[in-house]
Amino acid sequence: MDNFFSSLAKDKAKKAIGVILSGFGKDGSKGMSAIRALGGFTIAQLPETAEHRDMPSAAIDTGHVDLIVPAEQMYDDIIQFITNTRAIASSLPKTNSVDAIFELLEKRSGTDFSMYKPTTIMRRINHRIASLQLGSMLDYYELIKSNPRELDNLFDSVLIGVTEFFRDLNAFDHLRKQLADMLEDKEPGDSIRLWSVGCATGEESYSIAILLYELLGKKVNQYHIQIFASDIDERAINFGRKAIYNKELLGNVPAEIISTYFDKIDQLHYEVKKEIKQHILFTRHDITTDPPFVKLDLVVCRNLLIYFNNNLQKQTLQIFHYSLKPKGLLFLGKSESVSVAADLFSKVVGDKIYRKAEASLNYQLKFSKLRTRNQEIKKEEKKNNIRNMSIVDVAKETLYYKYDSPFVIINEHAEIKEVHGSLRLYLEISQGTMNVSLHKMVNPELSTIVKAVLAQVKKTNITHTSHVVKFNLYEQLHYVRIKMIPLVYRISETQYFMVIFEKVEPSEGQLVLQKKLETSDFVNLRIKELEDELTSTQEHLQIFTEELEATNEELQTINEELQSSNEELKSSNEELETSNEELQSANEELNTANQELRLTNDLLIEKEQELKEEKEISQNNELIYRTIAENIPDAAVGILNKALNIEYLAGQGVDEFEAAEVIGKHMPGINPSKKEAKRIEKLCMETLEGKPGSIQVKYNNRYYEIKTVLFKLPGSDEDKILYLAQEITSLKQSQLILETALKASNLILFQYDFDVNEMIFDEALYKFLEFSPKKKVTEADIIKKVHPDDVVSRSKNMKQAKKTGEINHEVRLMLKEGIRYVRVTGRVLFDEEKNARKAFATILDITQDKMLLQKIKQSEERFKKIADTTPMTISDNR
């Protein structure tokens, strides 16, 4: 890993990204330092979430890790780093570093902060400069260019995403009352729509959802609940979608709420239950540019308006007013109010809760007032297109946009597709359904001319110009010449035409002449003018006649097709009726299936909850078993497969490195003694046959007791062996010392089980009492050996021992070799109810001592008789 990271850093420099996940050892830490030194981005897994903490911890200890997050969050952070890098690379140099920083921040978020309170943003920038101990704004700009990650830090600082569950409990109590009143007006099946604006990481959105669940109780599934949670920070939204929170963030949440609406993932994290998450839709949304959600019952916007200037505050409140249903609620933060748009909302009794007022919509919503990325992209594209245009192209553009006479572009059916210039003198919108046909919109006095010229152009495909046409508009005479030009190229196989309305301004002399002609007796001149018009009209009529004939033929064809289509429609109608019946039947089946799916979904949720509880129990049990296994003193717990290879090994009797070395090895073969290895292998094979057992073995001059049992792992049918290897070296030494001491003192050890009435002897005692080793010896068997004169005294002594716990008496035993005197000494063990359970005692043969004592007594008696019969006095002169 170190070599790879170092090579990556040398090759990619600032573009290198190093990621360290779970693993053993310190590999990768030096390579991460190399990446960081050359300006790359380094990220390590949060050790608390890693299965093996060594590698991420070692990387973090170097101090060269930019980000420490759980593995599932890394993708979002890496994508954001790449986005920041590209934004910085594409930014143009600016003389003002503040403007440059604002531009980068806008590219990072897609939001224009120009309508935010400038003092707030500058205060956040200055705070970052101070915390980084930089000297000026220019230094900070240079730092952002060299470290794109700082752009994220600034963005987070500007947004100040401070939120928590049930923030301000008093305010939520007031909201609870208002929601309860609102829900009283709802019927089962109704929608409940809420919008959490500036939701950050989602705590407030989930708080609202939990509040609804608390109010609705078991009826919650009878309503269609939708909660829209929006923010401009993608990373915060992704965090909210996962709904996994550290337990420290739940400090303000009552324990019963946590147990009801959260699942415990591990010791540090909780996850919101699925039935709560299913009602919340997280989405990126900029309140300043994006269209709002509508038909809402409640809008929650807490501690967002305080960052907007008055204009943006007013615009935002207008959007909220537009989004809410009549009597809808608005829930604001402590430091916020609706003063800039007081006519839109009325305050409800409570803390920062307002109701939509019955105000008229005398405002205009401008969802794209601020610049967007698309606008900038289009602007850049336009600039690039201008740079790539030739002189001819520029000339064409100039003619199009600077042409004096107005014109329209129409297709073959005279439908207007493009308009240029003012056409109010020539076109008007006629009454009735909207129609974009030039024939319908053109001035009625010009309609015939337009139709005629269009017919000529379509027929000849060359430019035609009409004579000057006089028409009356608003009680004033106007003159126009209509010019129609077919476009050079067809577009999608369609021919288009440019219709130009050239306004004619007659001179004063022409007007005087016209007036004289109208008043004087130049009848012939007027007749000539009328004859010309008649000729033109006849030509137009001829054209229309031809078109009419062609149209008539087309209509006949169309009529035949319509008749055929009518028959097909009748057939199709019958098929549709049949299909409709089938659809109704299918719809009923779908409704039934949908109901079954809902029931199944509820069952799945219940099963999922049960599985999570079982998983938690299983994890707890695993933790308990692992803790026990790893902390058994001077012992090791292991698991073997059928091949007797070690699959698991733990315990204080073995360290981590030794365990890692023997995993996968043949367990009996680890013992260097072939004899001991065969004994272990025999024990394991008998265990696989269903006969658990134990043996004592010698390993490296130490003694161990191995106990085995057959078991199966959950979800597996494969037999495995669980074994416990306990070191008994000290016990073995003590046992040898005890045996040596017993032999030296002629003591014989035995025990007695009161519950099963059984005496447990060693070989020496069986031999001494003349019993067969295969015989089960009871108390009655012992009493038979006791001398009849000693039976009563023994019984009294044992009865007393059951009270005091001390065994101490002497009896005579009648054996084949004769009467033997023995002294019995020991202790009785009791249970919690003071009932005798077991006795441990020793037997000492004192026959010789008794015989010697008798001889001494006999000698004393003889000496006494001699002394009594001898006539002399024995005195002591000391």
Side-chain angles (χ1 to χ4, degrees):
M1 291 295 292
D2 283 328
N3 293 336
F4 170 68
F5 280 161
S6 299
S7 174
L8 179 68
K10 291 178 182 177
D11 187 48
K12 297 298 181 182
K14 292 183 179 181
K15 293 183 179 181
I17 300 176
V19 180
I20 289 290
L21 299 173
S22 170
F24 288 112
K26 298 182 179 180
D27 193 17
S29 58
K30 293 180 180 178
M32 293 284 273
S33 299
I35 291 175
R36 190 69 183 81
L38 293 175
F41 181 49
T42 56
I43 182 170
Q45 184 176 0
L46 184 67
E48 289 78 3
T49 65
E51 184 177 357
H52 305 292
R53 302 184 179 188
D54 293 356
M55 285 179 63
S57 296
I60 293 167
D61 290 342
T62 63
H64 295 144
V65 173
D66 292 308
L67 198 61
I68 305 167
V69 294
E72 60 270 16
Q73 189 179 328
M74 289 183 176
Y75 174 79
D76 295 333
D77 290 303
I78 292 172
I79 291 297
Q80 192 57 62
F81 172 79
I82 295 171
T83 302
N84 292 349
T85 304
R86 288 175 177 171
I88 292 170
S90 63
S91 64
L92 299 175
K94 285 184 168 55
T95 56
N96 190 330
S97 54
V98 176
D99 293 340
I101 292 172
F102 269 84
E103 181 185 340
L104 291 177
L105 196 59
E106 181 179 342
K107 287 183 178 180
R108 156 67 177 84
S109 62
T111 298
D112 187 351
F113 290 95
S114 62
M115 294 187 73
Y116 282 58
K117 291 180 180 177
T119 54
T120 301
I121 299 180
M122 285 305 302
R123 187 163 59 248
R124 291 296 161 188
I125 294 176
N126 290 331
H127 174 74
R128 289 300 304 164
I129 292 173
S131 63
L132 295 169
Q133 298 181 348
L134 299 176
S136 66
M137 193 73 70
L138 181 59
D139 293 339
Y140 185 55
Y141 175 63
E142 293 298 327
L143 174 66
I144 292 176
K145 289 175 65 178
S146 62
N147 181 16
R149 174 69 188 161
E150 177 56 29
L151 201 55
D152 283 337
N153 297 333
L154 177 59
F155 181 65
D156 293 340
S157 179
V158 168
L159 291 187
I160 319 175
V162 178
T163 183
E164 61 183 65
F165 287 97
F166 298 100
R167 187 180 188 186
D168 191 353
L169 291 175
N170 186 45
F172 267 91
D173 288 339
H174 289 298
L175 179 63
R176 175 191 285 268
K177 295 175 184 177
Q178 296 303 320
L179 285 177
D181 294 340
M182 179 195 76
L183 294 174
E184 288 180 359
D185 298 331
K186 295 284 186 181
E187 297 291 336
D190 286 352
S191 293
I192 301 173
R193 292 166 61 87
L194 301 89
W195 183 13
S196 177
V197 186
C199 67
T201 49
E203 287 91 329
E204 197 161 65
S205 306
Y206 289 118
S207 299
I208 300 294
I210 291 171
L211 195 58
L212 284 175
Y213 263 72
E214 288 286 296
L215 289 170
L216 293 172
K218 294 181 180 179
K219 297 180 181 179
V220 69
N221 291 325
Q222 298 178 9
Y223 298 88
H224 185 53
I225 300 174
Q226 290 179 299
I227 300 176
F228 304 101
S230 66
D231 202 281
I232 63 173
D233 188 353
E234 287 279 7
R235 290 187 305 160
I237 291 170
N238 290 334
F239 187 93
R241 284 195 189 103
K242 294 169 185 173
I244 299 175
Y245 298 95
N246 193 295
K247 67 178 182 180
E248 295 178 358
L249 299 177
L250 301 176
N252 196 34
V253 184
E256 59 270 17
I257 295 292
I258 295 176
S259 61
T260 305
Y261 300 106
F262 292 83
D263 290 324
K264 187 176 182 180
I265 297 178
D266 51 41
Q267 298 301 319
L268 295 174
H269 298 90
Y270 287 82
E271 182 178 4
V272 179
K273 286 184 180 290
K274 185 178 180 180
E275 52 263 36
I276 299 293
K277 290 197 289 184
Q278 67 182 350
H279 298 296
I280 301 178
L281 172 66
F282 283 92
T283 180
R284 190 196 182 282
H285 183 281
D286 189 344
I287 191 67
T288 63
T289 58
D290 297 325
F293 301 99
V294 294
K295 297 182 180 180
L296 302 171
D297 297 290
L298 170 68
V299 172
V300 180
C301 181
R302 308 184 73 203
N303 303 318
L304 175 63
L305 296 178
I306 56 176
Y307 301 110
F308 295 170
N309 63 24
N310 286 345
N311 290 335
L312 188 53
Q313 282 187 24
K314 186 174 182 179
Q315 177 185 329
T316 303
L317 290 172
Q318 289 172 348
I319 289 172
F320 292 162
H321 184 270
Y322 172 79
S323 300
L324 285 167
K325 290 180 179 179
K327 298 183 180 180
L329 298 174
L330 174 63
F331 187 27
L332 298 181
K334 271 187 176 181
S335 304
E336 297 169 327
S337 70
V338 295
S339 57
V340 294
D343 59 323
L344 301 181
F345 296 93
S346 58
K347 189 171 183 180
V348 179
V349 177
D351 192 10
K352 297 300 180 182
I353 300 176
Y354 301 85
R355 191 180 303 281
K356 178 179 179 179
E358 297 296 332
S360 59
L361 297 178
N362 57 353
Y363 51 81
Q364 292 183 345
L365 300 181
K366 299 179 180 179
F367 303 129
S368 300
K369 183 176 182 180
L370 305 180
R371 290 183 304 155
T372 63
R373 288 183 179 178
N374 289 336
Q375 289 173 324
E376 291 186 359
I377 291 171
K378 289 179 180 178
K379 190 174 179 181
E380 288 295 324
E381 287 178 352
K382 187 174 181 181
K383 289 181 180 178
N384 292 334
N385 290 338
I386 292 173
R387 293 191 196 102
N388 296 327
M389 290 174 66
S390 66
I391 296 176
V392 175
D393 293 331
V394 174
K396 290 177 181 178
E397 291 284 313
T398 303
L399 283 173
Y400 179 84
Y401 288 106
K402 300 298 182 180
Y403 195 76
D404 290 335
S405 299
F407 63 84
V408 296
I409 296 175
I410 61 174
N411 61 13
E412 295 172 334
H413 307 294
E415 294 174 341
I416 299 174
K417 297 299 180 180
E418 186 80 21
V419 176
H420 178 79
S422 175
L423 292 160
R424 59 179 180 168
L425 288 178
Y426 317 112
L427 303 182
E428 64 178 358
I429 298 175
S430 59
Q431 187 175 350
T433 305
M434 180 62 190
N435 195 322
V436 294
S437 172
L438 179 62
H439 299 328
K440 297 292 184 182
M441 297 182 68
V442 74
N443 189 302
E445 296 183 53
L446 305 178
S447 178
T448 303
I449 303 299
V450 169
K451 290 179 181 178
V453 174
L454 177 59
Q456 290 175 341
V457 172
K458 287 169 67 176
K459 187 175 182 180
T460 62
N461 201 32
I462 59 176
T463 302
H464 277 71
T465 304
S466 72
H467 61 275
V468 176
V469 182
K470 179 177 69 175
F471 64 96
N472 194 317
L473 185 66
Y474 305 124
E475 298 181 356
Q476 186 176 353
L477 289 175
H478 298 275
Y479 300 87
V480 65
R481 184 184 292 110
I482 299 173
K483 186 176 184 179
M484 196 169 299
I485 306 171
L487 297 191
V488 178
Y489 304 111
R490 289 175 175 263
I491 301 173
S492 301
E493 302 300 324
T494 301
Q495 179 65 58
Y496 290 91
F497 306 90
M498 181 184 294
V499 183
I500 304 171
F501 296 87
E502 297 178 347
K503 186 175 182 180
V504 177
E505 295 288 350
S507 64
E508 187 176 346
Q510 289 175 322
L511 293 175
V512 171
L513 177 61
Q514 180 181 357
K515 190 174 181 180
K516 286 181 178 180
L517 288 172
E518 289 175 353
T519 55
S520 63
D521 195 13
F522 292 99
V523 176
N524 293 333
L525 189 60
R526 177 60 179 159
I527 290 172
K528 182 69 171 73
E529 180 182 346
L530 290 172
E531 286 177 349
D532 291 341
E533 288 184 8
L534 181 60
T535 303
S536 176
T537 303
Q538 286 176 342
E539 291 176 356
H540 294 165
L541 242 150
Q542 179 63 31
I543 292 170
F544 289 147
T545 301
E546 293 174 0
E547 287 184 353
L548 194 62
E549 289 175 353
T551 302
N552 190 39
E553 292 176 359
E554 290 177 1
L555 284 173
Q556 287 179 354
T557 304
I558 291 171
N559 186 44
E560 293 173 358
E561 291 176 355
L562 283 173
Q563 288 178 352
S564 176
S565 299
N566 188 39
E567 294 175 358
E568 292 178 1
L569 282 172
K570 286 181 180 179
S571 176
S572 300
N573 189 41
E574 293 174 358
E575 293 176 0
L576 283 172
E577 288 178 355
T578 305
S579 300
N580 187 40
E581 293 174 358
E582 293 175 354
L583 282 172
Q584 287 178 348
S585 175
N587 190 38
E588 292 175 0
E589 293 176 0
L590 282 173
N591 287 334
T592 304
N594 189 38
Q595 185 64 28
E596 292 175 355
L597 282 173
R598 286 182 181 176
L599 295 174
T600 304
N601 187 47
D602 293 339
L603 291 173
L604 283 173
I605 291 174
E606 293 178 5
K607 288 294 182 184
E608 185 178 0
Q609 181 62 30
E610 292 176 4
L611 285 172
K612 286 182 178 178
E613 292 174 357
E614 291 293 336
K615 181 182 178 182
E616 186 173 344
I617 293 171
S618 177
Q619 288 175 342
N620 290 337
N621 290 340
E622 182 183 354
L623 180 62
I624 293 170
Y625 298 150
R626 187 182 291 273
T627 303
I628 293 172
E630 292 176 353
N631 292 279
I632 297 176
D634 299 325
V637 175
I639 297 176
L640 307 179
N641 56 24
K642 285 185 176 181
L644 308 186
N645 296 327
I646 299 174
E647 293 185 345
Y648 173 79
L649 185 63
Q652 292 188 358
V654 58
D655 57 35
E656 290 185 10
F657 294 102
E658 186 179 346
E661 290 176 359
V662 300
I663 294 294
K665 291 188 177 180
H666 190 253
M667 188 272 242
I670 294 175
N671 197 311
S673 171
K674 293 184 179 180
K675 179 181 178 182
E676 297 289 13
K678 287 182 179 180
R679 291 181 61 221
I680 297 171
E681 186 169 355
K682 180 182 178 183
L683 172 68
C684 294
M685 297 307 294
E686 290 176 351
T687 303
L688 287 173
E689 294 173 0
K691 301 175 184 177
S694 65
I695 58 171
Q696 294 181 1
V697 297
K698 188 177 181 182
Y699 175 70
N700 290 343
N701 296 322
R702 305 189 73 82
Y703 291 93
Y704 294 87
E705 182 179 21
I706 300 176
K707 295 182 179 181
T708 59
V709 66
L710 188 68
F711 83 110
K712 292 180 180 179
L713 290 171
S716 174
D717 294 330
E718 184 180 355
D719 290 332
K720 295 186 183 295
I721 298 174
L722 177 68
Y723 74 90
L724 171 67
Q726 180 84 41
E727 185 180 352
I728 57 171
T729 304
S730 300
L731 180 63
K732 194 74 174 176
Q733 292 172 349
S734 300
Q735 185 178 355
L736 292 172
I737 293 170
L738 179 60
E739 289 176 356
T740 304
L742 289 174
K743 287 181 180 179
S745 60
N746 292 323
L747 290 172
I748 303 175
L749 184 66
F750 76 95
Q751 60 176 301
Y752 174 65
D753 192 324
F754 288 93
D755 292 332
V756 298
N757 186 21
E758 182 179 5
M759 308 291 287
I760 302 173
F761 299 156
D762 62 5
E763 186 178 351
L765 190 54
Y766 273 111
K767 185 176 180 180
F768 178 74
L769 295 177
E770 300 173 348
F771 287 121
S772 170
K774 297 180 180 180
K775 176 178 174 58
K776 177 182 177 182
V777 181
T778 65
E779 187 177 17
D781 295 326
I782 298 297
I783 292 175
K784 289 178 182 179
K785 298 282 186 178
V786 176
H787 195 282
D789 295 340
D790 294 340
V791 172
V792 176
S793 61
R794 178 196 173 279
S795 297
K796 288 181 179 180
N797 288 330
M798 288 303 297
K799 188 175 182 180
Q800 184 67 23
K802 289 180 180 181
K803 295 179 180 180
T804 63
E806 299 287 341
I807 301 174
N808 192 0
H809 61 267
E810 296 179 1
V811 293
R812 288 171 290 174
L813 300 176
M814 295 185 299
L815 304 174
K816 291 180 181 180
E817 62 182 30
I819 295 175
R820 306 293 291 182
Y821 290 85
V822 295
R823 179 180 294 122
V824 183
T825 307
R827 296 189 66 83
V828 178
L829 301 182
F830 302 94
D831 59 16
E832 294 178 353
E833 298 177 358
K834 301 298 182 183
N835 296 321
R837 312 301 294 181
K838 291 182 182 293
F840 293 89
T842 59
I843 293 177
L844 179 63
D845 187 355
I846 58 172
T847 303
Q848 292 182 359
D849 294 342
K850 287 290 186 180
M851 298 298 292
L852 181 59
L853 185 58
Q854 287 179 1
K855 288 180 180 180
I856 292 173
K857 287 182 178 180
Q858 290 174 0
S859 297
E860 286 180 351
E861 289 175 358
R862 283 198 302 270
F863 182 75
K864 186 176 181 183
K865 288 179 181 179
I866 293 171
D868 290 341
T869 58
T870 302
M872 61 180 180
T873 302
I874 300 174
S875 62
D876 188 355
N877 295 322
R878 287 177 297 176

